Amino acid sequence: MNRRISPRPLDLERGRIDLSHGAGGRAMAQLIEELFEAHFDNPLLARHNDQACFEVGAGRMVITTDGFVISPLFFPGGDIGSLAVHGTINDVAMAGARPLYLACGMILEEGFPLADLRAIVASMAGAAKSAGVPIVTGDTKVVERGKGDGVFITTTGVGVVPAGVDIASDRAQPGDAVLINGSIGDHGTAVLSKRENLSFETEILSDSAALHGLVAAMLAAAPGIHAMRDPTRGGLAALLNEIARESRVGIMIDEGAIPIAVAVRGACELLGLDPLYVANEGKLVAFCAAAEAVRLLEAMRAHPLGRRASIIGKVVDDADGYVQMRTSFGGTRIVDWLAGEQLPRIC
């Protein structure tokens, strides 16, 4: 027979976080039991250890960690909870790995509504379940009122890279094709529209999604992918410059081949943003030998998260590592690193 930590359940409709929820006593145990464990439920978490112990298969282990401080917490197409799950799964998947488990750390501000926290936790649980990557351990801390911004989340992910897969940011080679799985700029524009209470004729939704299924399909079609990364902060421009720097190559992209939704393009023009620098949370860019590019493109387009995939350019021999774009007017321009912060707190 289960024994409740507290004689009264949490008031998840009207209650708020207080300092006792992070103090290590009865209130904290009740919060964990009635909210986090209730939603994240899985056999490893149910063992109530300070860590999760599990078997792993053959291959190389991958581990990554990421902090999420997005404002607002809820935005068109997602929220900080699902974003934290998707973002960390994607960081694992960009190595070609199969994500296995997640851990999460929650920093809560005193006074934060329990109803909002429940919505965020439920969203995290739904995203993890949908991805098949359970949250198996975690931590909760509470900071005083005014010393946080509602909720900050840190998620850590582990996974395994199958034998024969070698994907790294320093492996792009001259002649490689550059592919993207869909339109850019959706996430950052969606967050900004919510933050600034902007409305457009067509609602812009975040592209937040877990990409490991798409990556698995891509590797099945083209196991020799050289490099892969998701264009989050700094957008596509930052990603291309990072790969060019790490691989000591140049990259030439074609402006007309880069998918951009009409609504996003219009919003960026209105707000003075360059979509090349706007964050994404459900996109990836892959670099592969030209001979494999068409096969890889077909595999991407056959997956629900890659229907608008496109070959957007190629890697060129350039020791200075310049990224250039062939414009729709027939000229070329440098696609430089982002200077400063175009959109703060978008992930």
Side-chain angles (χ1 to χ4, degrees):
M1 179 178 177
N2 291 331
R3 182 173 65 85
R4 297 191 67 86
I5 295 294
S6 175
R8 291 189 301 175
L10 285 173
D11 185 352
L12 291 171
E13 298 298 329
R14 295 168 296 180
R16 290 180 177 273
I17 289 293
D18 61 50
L19 293 177
S20 69
H21 288 123
R26 186 188 300 273
M28 181 172 168
Q30 184 182 19
L31 180 71
I32 292 171
E33 177 185 291
E34 296 183 19
L35 188 58
F36 295 116
E37 290 185 355
H39 285 280
F40 296 161
D41 182 40
N42 59 73
L44 289 175
L45 190 65
R47 299 181 71 176
H48 296 150
N49 292 320
D50 285 341
Q51 70 295 120
C53 185
F54 48 83
E55 302 288 340
V56 296
R60 290 173 293 144
M61 292 290 297
V62 172
I63 183 168
T64 184
T65 192
D66 204 350
F68 296 85
V69 298
I70 192 168
S71 176
L73 299 173
F74 300 90
F75 50 85
D79 56 74
I80 189 173
S82 57
L83 180 68
V85 170
H86 293 156
T88 301
I89 287 175
N90 291 346
D91 284 348
V92 172
M94 291 306 105
R98 179 171 62 90
L100 298 176
Y101 299 108
L102 296 171
C104 77
M106 310 284 288
I107 306 297
L108 309 175
E109 184 183 10
E110 180 187 12
F112 189 69
L114 282 173
D116 286 350
L117 182 58
R118 177 178 59 179
I120 290 168
V121 172
S123 177
M124 289 188 77
K129 183 177 181 180
S130 178
V133 185
I135 299 168
V136 295
T137 190
D139 184 46
T140 303
K141 294 291 189 300
V142 178
V143 297
E144 296 92 337
R145 191 185 302 269
K147 294 189 176 180
D149 196 7
V151 177
F152 297 148
I153 300 176
T154 296
T155 41
T156 298
V158 296
V160 174
V161 180
V165 174
D166 186 8
I167 297 174
S169 58
D170 61 355
R171 294 198 66 235
Q173 302 170 18
D176 278 0
V178 184
L179 298 91
I180 192 166
N181 66 313
S183 58
I184 62 171
D186 301 45
H187 175 72
T189 312
V191 172
L192 186 62
S193 67
K194 177 67 174 179
R195 186 184 299 173
E196 303 298 333
N197 291 318
L198 301 175
S199 60
F200 302 100
E201 186 171 331
T202 301
E203 186 179 19
I204 301 172
L205 301 178
S206 168
D207 61 341
S208 179
L211 296 170
H212 58 308
L214 172 62
V215 171
M218 293 169 62
L219 287 172
I225 293 172
H226 294 151
M228 189 157 50
R229 187 165 288 189
D230 51 341
T232 54
R233 283 178 300 171
L236 178 62
L239 180 152
L240 295 174
N241 277 282
E242 289 168 0
I243 296 295
R245 180 189 62 187
E246 297 299 325
S247 297
R248 299 185 178 183
V249 295
I251 298 175
M252 176 66 75
I253 57 174
D254 184 348
E255 183 177 26
I258 301 172
I260 305 176
V262 173
V264 171
R265 187 185 297 279
C268 286
E269 290 177 354
L270 179 67
L271 298 167
L273 301 174
D274 185 338
L276 290 177
Y277 295 88
V278 177
N280 314 270
E281 290 293 345
K283 296 298 179 299
L284 62 79
V285 177
F287 298 74
C288 74
E292 291 191 319
V294 172
R295 185 165 67 250
L296 180 58
L297 181 65
E298 291 174 348
M300 294 170 74
R301 287 178 172 172
H303 191 278
L305 295 177
R307 287 175 179 149
R308 293 195 64 190
S310 175
I311 299 174
I312 62 171
K314 65 179 181 179
V315 178
V316 297
D317 192 357
D318 180 358
D320 293 326
Y322 284 115
V323 177
Q324 301 182 67
M325 183 168 71
R326 189 175 295 108
T327 71
S328 54
F329 298 105
T332 59
R333 73 173 177 90
I334 296 292
V335 179
D336 206 351
W337 291 88
L338 175 66
E341 183 73 80
Q342 185 171 232
L343 291 176
R345 296 190 60 186
I346 41 74
C347 63

